């Protein structure tokens, strides 16, 4: 299909693309990638993260709704609390395999089995160092001794459960011939999953892909195990390395929600899953993950761990489906697929977000007005757009409340006998507040004066009175913030009285003195229209 043939609307396009992908999976019998979530184990190792047992259980329930294949629930030997949380998850959660981590030590493996024995689908995941630097400086053993330990401990785990995973820790810095030997020994001892960890985030995608290919080519019994990877993000390459490994033949990915984990974190589950889902033409693979649960899971993990998601985080960041550039907004509003490669609904978000700011154009502003239910003339639109652009120069983001204030302030059924052209105010604790104001009459005449007062608002009102002479009484003055933040737009509401009648005026601006002057003029214009 050529680009010129794609002319359907975005919703139809994404529906068609989804059906095409599903059909492609069925017809080509797409292989499945197993998603191994280690948020509750490696993710909790994030500096500053600490989860209570009940919080871990709630996250585990959500991971089951997300339909991950394996939940690594914790490291039972590490603490009584971790043991209890793993045990509770194993007894409660149905659907995913429940995995417990254990060092290649008898006490660890016994404790891991004690914690997960109540699970319908239990797995023991044991590991030992494979790189010379860790074997020499951490284990203080010979390479041959380490392989013997690995074989014995995998066999012990196998005596408890048929589902045993083995990881040669720091595999990407290990001698490759030694790595092949260790993997072969672990499979012979009963390991059904072999996980290749990039423990310190050292490898590069092309290099990692070649390592996986070489493992497949040089380990004689590798076909008896599922090959997995566990990538850390020290160089910002965990997702890229994981996807490179998939292309090379890996069929299980270990990852975490929001990419949290030790040091710079782990490969991000949402990035891995959506990468595979968005590019079926490239990977020709699938996962069982219900992607519509991704956003909810991300928010839950962020809330419980206290680790915020950066705004520019792929997939789940606040800006992931937000468009602020005027060029992007224009293209997006004409055809969604011009600037979105996936829908927000696919991860559980209701819609994309058009962020209105100084880079936004007429198309985006008009679209938002229509969404808010405003029907205004072209002249009114141009007037509102001019005020919108001026406001956008003063604050980063224009909210719906800002827009409503602009429309209510600028698009009025009241005939403007006087409108504000400019206002300058001098005030301080050691000077008399003074305001210099310039008004434009309905006939285009410019009137200018200045006046002093007890404060900047009073000085502004005294200056207006000098020009207009409304001969009225101010009976009420109220200020409220339309939006939050230091750059909030303020709205002023006033009531003036003349001959027993009350006239209401409103004005909005990021400068509250200007808003006050606008509100006073709005009330005066209502008064003069009545006359």
């Amino acid at each position: 299909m050529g680009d010129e043939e794609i002319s359907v609307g975005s919703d139809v396009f994404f529906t068609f693309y989804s059906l095409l992908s599903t059909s492609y999976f069925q017809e080509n019998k797409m292989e499945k990638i197993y998603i191994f979530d280690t948020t509750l184990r490696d993710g909790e190792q994030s500096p500053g993260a600490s989860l209570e047992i009940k919080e871990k259980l709630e996250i585990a329930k959500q991971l089951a709704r997300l339909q991950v294949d394996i939940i690594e629930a914790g490291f039972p030997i590490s603490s009584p609390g971790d043991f209890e949380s793993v045990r509770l998850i194993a007894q409660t959660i149905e659907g995913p395999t429940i995995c417990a981590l254990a060092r290649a030590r008898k006490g660890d493996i016994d404790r891991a089995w004690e914690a997960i024995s109540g699970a319908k689908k239990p797995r023991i995941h044991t590991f030992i160092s494979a790189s010379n630097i860790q074997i020499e400086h951490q284990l203080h053993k010979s390479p041959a001794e380490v392989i013997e330990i690995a074989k014995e401990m995998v066999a012990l785990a196998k005596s408890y459960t048929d589902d045993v995973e083995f990881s040669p820790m720091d595999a990407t810095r290990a001698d490759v011939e030694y790595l092949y030997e260790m993997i072969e020994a672990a499979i012979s001892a009963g390991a059904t999953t072999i996980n290749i960890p990039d423990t310190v985030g050292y490898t590069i995608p092309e290099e990692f892909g070649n390592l996986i290919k070489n493992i497949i080519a040089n380990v004689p019994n590798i076909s008896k195990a599922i090959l997995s990877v566990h990538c850390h993000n020290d160089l910002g390459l965990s997702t890229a390395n994981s996807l490179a490994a998939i292309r090379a033949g890996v069929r299980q990915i270990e990852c975490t929600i929001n990419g949290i984990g030790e040091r710079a974190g782990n490969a991000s589950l949402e990035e891995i899953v959506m990468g595979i889902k968005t590019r079926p033409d490239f990977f020709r693979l699938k996962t069982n993950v219900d992607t519509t649960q991704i956003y909810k899971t991300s928010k839950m993990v962020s809330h419980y761990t206290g680790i915020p998601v950066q705004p520019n985080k792929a997939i789940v960041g606040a800006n992931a489906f937000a468009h602020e550039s005027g060029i992007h907004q224009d293209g997006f509003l004409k055809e969604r697929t011009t600037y979105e490669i996936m829908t927000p609904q696919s991860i559980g978000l209701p819609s994309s977000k058009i962020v209105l700011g100084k880079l936004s154009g007429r198309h985006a502003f008009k679209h938002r007005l229509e969404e808010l239910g405003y029907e205004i003339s072209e002249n009114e639109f141009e007037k509102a757009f001019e005020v919108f652009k001026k406001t956008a120069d003063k604050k980063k983001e224009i909210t719906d409340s800002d827009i409503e204030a602009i429309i209510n302030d600028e698009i009025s059924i009241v005939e403007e006998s006087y409108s504000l052209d400019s206002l300058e105010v001098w005030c301080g604790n050691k000077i008399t507040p003074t305001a210099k104001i310039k008004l434009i009459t309905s006939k285009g005449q410019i009137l200018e004066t200045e006046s002093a007062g007890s404060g900047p608002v009073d000085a502004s009102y005294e200056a207006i009175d000098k020009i207009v002479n409304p001969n009225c009484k101010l009976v009420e003055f109220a200020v409220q913030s339309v939006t939050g933040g230091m750059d909030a737009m303020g709205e002023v509401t006033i009531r003036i009285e003349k001959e027993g009648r009350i006239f209401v005026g409103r004005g909005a601006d990021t400068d509250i003195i200007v808003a006050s002057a606008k509100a006073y003029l709005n009330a005066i214009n209502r008064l003069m229209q009545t006359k």
Side-chain angles (χ1 to χ4, degrees):
M1 180 183 292
D3 292 342
E4 69 281 356
E5 296 179 86
I6 302 176
S7 58
V8 294
S10 59
D11 292 336
V12 175
F13 174 80
F14 277 113
T15 301
F16 171 74
Y17 191 71
S18 177
L19 291 173
L20 178 63
S21 298
T22 302
S23 174
Y24 198 91
F25 289 151
Q26 293 171 348
E27 291 178 9
N28 294 274
K29 296 182 180 179
M30 290 277 200
E31 281 191 76
K32 174 184 171 180
I33 295 295
Y34 290 86
I35 299 299
F36 178 113
D37 183 277
T38 184
T39 302
L40 296 174
R41 200 278 299 171
D42 202 332
E44 198 192 12
Q45 292 175 207
S46 296
S50 181
L51 296 168
E52 300 294 332
I53 291 176
K54 290 183 179 179
E55 293 172 335
K56 287 187 176 183
L57 181 59
E58 287 305 306
I59 291 174
K61 289 178 180 178
Q62 181 57 30
L63 291 172
R65 286 189 284 268
L66 186 63
Q67 296 180 25
V68 301
D69 299 289
I70 304 100
I71 297 174
E72 189 166 52
F75 194 178
I77 196 71
S78 64
S79 72
D82 217 39
F83 172 85
E84 286 301 323
S85 65
V86 174
R87 186 179 64 82
L88 181 60
I89 289 168
Q91 293 175 348
T92 306
I93 301 300
E94 296 184 3
T97 294
I98 306 302
C99 177
L101 184 69
R103 291 168 296 184
R105 297 181 182 181
K106 185 178 186 306
D108 282 37
I109 292 171
D110 291 343
R111 191 66 165 164
W113 176 247
E114 186 181 353
I116 62 168
S117 58
K120 290 187 176 180
K121 294 188 287 184
R123 174 184 292 189
I124 294 175
H125 178 193
T126 188
F127 67 95
I128 196 166
S129 296
S131 66
N132 288 334
I133 190 170
Q134 290 192 356
I135 290 173
E136 179 182 350
H137 297 287
Q138 194 169 5
L139 299 183
H140 304 294
K141 295 184 182 296
S142 70
E145 287 176 310
V146 171
I147 286 183
E148 286 303 311
I149 293 170
K151 287 166 60 178
E152 290 175 15
M153 293 303 104
V154 168
L156 175 61
K158 191 73 171 182
S159 70
Y160 287 126
T161 176
D162 288 335
D163 193 348
V164 177
E165 178 171 334
F166 174 73
S167 290
M169 188 162 67
D170 203 20
T172 56
R173 295 194 296 172
D175 175 81
V176 290
E177 296 297 332
Y178 180 71
L179 183 62
Y180 302 154
E181 184 182 353
M182 179 178 277
I183 293 170
E184 182 181 2
I187 296 173
S188 296
T192 51
T193 299
I194 296 294
N195 178 57
I196 307 302
D198 184 24
T199 305
V200 293
Y202 177 73
T203 197
I204 305 298
E206 183 178 1
E207 177 185 43
F208 197 42
N210 288 334
L211 174 62
I212 298 302
K213 290 176 183 177
N214 288 332
I215 289 171
I216 294 171
N218 291 282
V219 176
N221 56 357
I222 193 66
S223 61
K224 296 180 180 179
I226 292 175
L227 196 54
S228 169
V229 293
H230 178 115
C231 297
H232 277 266
N233 203 41
D234 297 70
L235 293 177
L237 295 170
S238 58
T239 295
N241 284 329
S242 298
L243 293 175
I246 288 173
R247 288 280 287 175
V250 158
R251 290 299 176 261
Q252 177 182 288
I253 297 293
E254 303 198 0
C255 46
T256 61
I257 301 298
N258 299 335
I260 64 172
E262 187 80 24
R263 302 182 314 279
N266 290 266
S268 163
L269 179 146
E270 57 274 11
E271 294 172 13
I272 299 293
V273 169
M274 292 308 293
I276 294 170
K277 182 182 176 70
T278 305
R279 294 300 308 276
D281 59 316
F282 184 78
F283 290 105
R284 297 182 173 86
L285 298 165
K286 64 177 180 178
T287 73
N288 280 350
V289 170
D290 178 359
T291 62
T292 63
Q293 293 289 327
I294 284 177
Y295 187 73
K296 181 179 179 181
T297 312
S298 168
K299 296 291 285 185
M300 176 184 286
V301 170
S302 176
H303 173 70
Y304 284 150
T305 60
I307 299 174
V309 177
Q310 67 195 64
N312 63 322
K313 169 73 171 66
I315 315 299
V316 293
N319 296 343
F321 292 94
H323 305 273
E324 183 167 355
S325 162
I327 295 172
H328 285 219
Q329 289 174 347
D330 181 64
F332 170 79
L333 291 170
K334 290 173 178 174
E335 167 53 55
R336 179 188 297 273
T337 56
T338 54
Y339 289 100
E340 281 192 355
I341 60 171
M342 65 192 90
T343 65
Q345 292 82 4
S346 67
I347 66 157
L349 271 172
S351 63
S352 299
K353 181 182 179 184
I354 294 292
V355 179
L356 294 180
K358 65 179 182 180
L359 300 178
S360 300
R362 284 176 168 77
H363 191 177
F365 183 61
K366 195 166 195 175
H367 176 76
R368 193 63 191 136
L369 287 179
E370 291 170 354
E371 288 185 332
L372 293 173
Y374 289 106
E375 295 181 8
I376 59 178
S377 69
E378 191 61 33
N379 287 338
E380 290 172 330
F381 170 79
E382 290 299 328
K383 185 177 180 182
F385 182 70
E386 182 180 351
V387 176
F388 159 75
K389 294 296 277 188
K390 289 179 180 178
T391 304
D393 277 334
K394 300 175 184 177
K395 59 180 300 186
K396 170 64 177 172
E397 182 177 338
I398 306 297
T399 67
D400 290 347
S401 296
D402 290 326
I403 293 173
E404 290 166 2
I406 289 170
I407 295 300
N408 291 335
D409 192 34
E410 299 297 329
I411 309 302
S412 173
I413 60 172
V414 177
E415 182 182 342
E416 290 191 322
S417 299
Y418 297 92
S419 60
L420 180 65
D421 180 69
S422 66
L423 173 64
E424 298 176 36
V425 176
W426 299 269
C427 62
N429 65 340
K430 294 184 182 292
I431 64 172
T432 300
T434 304
K436 181 180 180 181
I437 198 163
K438 185 186 294 184
L439 303 182
I440 302 176
T441 70
S442 57
K443 297 180 179 180
Q445 184 181 4
I446 296 177
L447 305 173
E448 184 176 357
T449 191
E450 64 179 63
S451 183
S454 59
V457 173
D458 183 56
S460 301
Y461 284 10
E462 289 290 345
I464 291 173
D465 285 348
K466 271 189 179 183
I467 295 174
V468 180
N469 190 27
N471 194 24
C472 62
K473 179 182 179 183
L474 178 65
V475 294
E476 185 177 338
F477 179 93
V479 182
Q480 66 174 355
S481 174
V482 174
T483 53
M486 293 294 290
D487 59 357
M489 179 173 277
E491 184 175 63
V492 175
T493 302
I494 70 165
R495 285 176 170 79
I496 60 175
E497 179 186 1
K498 184 169 184 178
E499 298 174 359
R501 293 191 62 180
I502 298 294
F503 301 91
V504 179
R506 294 183 178 86
D509 199 274
T510 52
D511 186 324
I512 204 64
I513 309 302
V514 174
S516 301
K518 287 181 176 181
Y520 192 36
L521 285 171
N522 183 244
I524 290 172
N525 285 328
R526 290 176 185 275
L527 183 158
M528 299 191 74
Q529 181 172 284
T530 302
K531 288 171 63 177

